[in-house]
Amino acid sequence: AQSVAQPEDQVNVAEGNPLTVKCTYSVSGNPYLFWYVQYPNRGLQFLLKYITGDNLVKGSYGFEAEFNKSQTSFHLKKPSALVSDSALYFCAVRGAGGGNKLTFGTGTQLKVEL
Amino acid sequence: DGGITQSPKYLFRKEGQNVTLSCEQNLNHDAMYWYRQDPGQGLRLIYYSQIVNDFQKGDIAEGYSVSREKKESFPLTVTSAQKNPTAFYLCASSDRGASNYGYTFGSGTRLTVV
């Protein structure tokens, strides 16, 4: 079975500071990893994915994520947070042999304050 | 533009009433999914369909039903057997043949029992 853990329900950061939203996963075989963002009363929007290759993945809106196989982590990062980054962030994983079903974490609410 | 359309955006249900949520996609995706979102619980899979005329139960299928008569459409019926239907419902689709791709989500339907 595949699973995702997002250990923080909420992350608070000041605008201009770097941000990190944590994600760890468990899956058989090589993982396919994804980050999505959700604004209030909206669907999820794709941010970035790791399939293979470089461990540092760059995505939309200046976000990036680092794949760490030994720590089974895929933390989302941004060098300088904006108030407009405030939203709910979901990490998701799919195993190479797990068909097409994604397993989502419970989400982390990011709040960026002035 | 290709995408997924969910309707209505807001839906009110009386006790004991069945209601149907619409999900239509023009992405030519084989697979479609229904998720329920409650605060603090992330996304929970209700039903999914990998191909027309076939669908499988997810983790919380009780009180729900679906059909997949056309590739483009995957409606979800919330029956009177679902005792706590108030939630935000999200539909998604993916290309079944490309497991390194994530999901495309609709903008959601908020269902409230009155």
Side-chain angles (χ1 to χ4, degrees), chain A residues 1 3-4 6 8 12 15 25 65-66 72 87 92 105 111:
Chain A
S3 65
V4 175
Q6 293 183 242
E8 301 154 317
N12 297 322
E15 187 174 52
Y25 67 90
E66 187 167 11
T72 62
K111 187 175 182 181

Short mmCIF file of all heavy atoms in Angstrom, two decimals, chain A residues 1 3-4 6 8 12 15 25 65-66 72 87 92 105 111:
data_model
loop_
_atom_site.label_atom_id
_atom_site.label_comp_id
_atom_site.label_asym_id
_atom_site.label_seq_id
_atom_site.Cartn_x
_atom_site.Cartn_y
_atom_site.Cartn_z
N ALA A 1 0.85 -1.20 0.00
CA ALA A 1 0.00 0.00 0.00
C ALA A 1 0.88 1.24 0.00
O ALA A 1 1.98 1.24 0.55
CB ALA A 1 -0.91 0.00 1.21
N SER A 3 1.34 5.41 0.80
CA SER A 3 0.84 6.40 1.73
C SER A 3 1.68 7.67 1.68
O SER A 3 2.83 7.64 1.23
CB SER A 3 0.81 5.86 3.16
OG SER A 3 2.11 5.59 3.62
N VAL A 4 1.08 8.75 2.14
CA VAL A 4 1.75 10.05 2.20
C VAL A 4 1.47 10.68 3.55
O VAL A 4 0.34 10.62 4.03
CB VAL A 4 1.21 10.98 1.08
CG1 VAL A 4 1.81 12.37 1.22
CG2 VAL A 4 1.52 10.40 -0.28
N GLN A 6 1.86 14.35 5.63
CA GLN A 6 2.20 15.76 5.72
C GLN A 6 2.08 16.11 7.21
O GLN A 6 0.98 16.26 7.72
CB GLN A 6 1.24 16.60 4.87
CG GLN A 6 1.40 16.35 3.39
CD GLN A 6 0.50 17.23 2.55
OE1 GLN A 6 -0.37 16.73 1.84
NE2 GLN A 6 0.70 18.53 2.61
N GLU A 8 2.60 18.61 9.15
CA GLU A 8 2.17 19.92 9.65
C GLU A 8 0.81 20.28 9.08
O GLU A 8 0.63 20.32 7.86
CB GLU A 8 3.20 20.99 9.27
CG GLU A 8 4.59 20.72 9.81
CD GLU A 8 5.67 21.37 8.95
OE1 GLU A 8 5.58 21.32 7.71
OE2 GLU A 8 6.62 21.93 9.55
N ASN A 12 3.22 28.74 9.06
CA ASN A 12 3.17 30.21 9.02
C ASN A 12 4.55 30.74 8.67
O ASN A 12 5.56 30.29 9.23
CB ASN A 12 2.72 30.78 10.36
CG ASN A 12 1.32 30.36 10.72
OD1 ASN A 12 0.44 30.27 9.88
ND2 ASN A 12 1.11 30.08 12.00
N GLU A 15 6.24 37.12 4.80
CA GLU A 15 6.49 37.41 3.38
C GLU A 15 7.96 37.75 3.19
O GLU A 15 8.54 38.52 3.96
CB GLU A 15 5.60 38.56 2.89
CG GLU A 15 5.71 38.76 1.38
CD GLU A 15 4.74 39.80 0.86
OE1 GLU A 15 4.73 40.92 1.42
OE2 GLU A 15 4.00 39.51 -0.10
N TYR A 25 6.76 9.90 2.18
CA TYR A 25 5.94 8.94 1.46
C TYR A 25 6.39 7.51 1.74
O TYR A 25 7.51 7.27 2.20
CB TYR A 25 5.98 9.21 -0.04
CG TYR A 25 7.34 8.96 -0.63
CD1 TYR A 25 7.68 7.71 -1.14
CD2 TYR A 25 8.31 9.98 -0.65
CE1 TYR A 25 8.95 7.47 -1.64
CE2 TYR A 25 9.57 9.74 -1.15
CZ TYR A 25 9.89 8.49 -1.64
OH TYR A 25 11.14 8.25 -2.14
N ALA A 65 10.81 21.49 -5.41
CA ALA A 65 10.75 20.42 -4.43
C ALA A 65 11.98 19.54 -4.58
O ALA A 65 12.49 19.35 -5.68
CB ALA A 65 9.48 19.59 -4.60
N GLU A 66 12.41 19.01 -3.45
CA GLU A 66 13.60 18.18 -3.44
C GLU A 66 13.26 16.76 -3.09
O GLU A 66 12.71 16.48 -2.01
CB GLU A 66 14.64 18.72 -2.45
CG GLU A 66 15.96 17.98 -2.52
CD GLU A 66 17.07 18.69 -1.77
OE1 GLU A 66 16.75 19.65 -1.03
OE2 GLU A 66 18.23 18.29 -1.92
N THR A 72 12.96 9.25 2.08
CA THR A 72 11.61 9.13 1.50
C THR A 72 10.82 10.42 1.68
O THR A 72 9.68 10.43 2.18
CB THR A 72 10.83 7.93 2.07
OG1 THR A 72 10.64 8.09 3.47
CG2 THR A 72 11.53 6.62 1.76
N ALA A 87 -2.42 29.24 0.88
CA ALA A 87 -3.34 28.27 0.28
C ALA A 87 -3.13 26.93 0.98
O ALA A 87 -2.31 26.81 1.89
CB ALA A 87 -3.08 28.12 -1.22
N ALA A 92 1.19 14.18 -3.13
CA ALA A 92 0.57 12.94 -3.59
C ALA A 92 1.64 12.01 -4.15
O ALA A 92 2.67 12.46 -4.66
CB ALA A 92 -0.49 13.22 -4.65
N GLY A 105 -1.87 13.27 0.64
CA GLY A 105 -1.72 13.59 2.04
C GLY A 105 -2.93 14.38 2.53
O GLY A 105 -3.84 14.69 1.75
N LYS A 111 0.18 29.83 5.49
CA LYS A 111 -0.25 31.21 5.72
C LYS A 111 0.98 32.10 5.67
O LYS A 111 1.90 31.96 6.47
CB LYS A 111 -0.95 31.33 7.06
CG LYS A 111 -1.57 32.70 7.30
CD LYS A 111 -2.37 32.73 8.60
CE LYS A 111 -3.03 34.08 8.81
NZ LYS A 111 -3.80 34.13 10.08
#
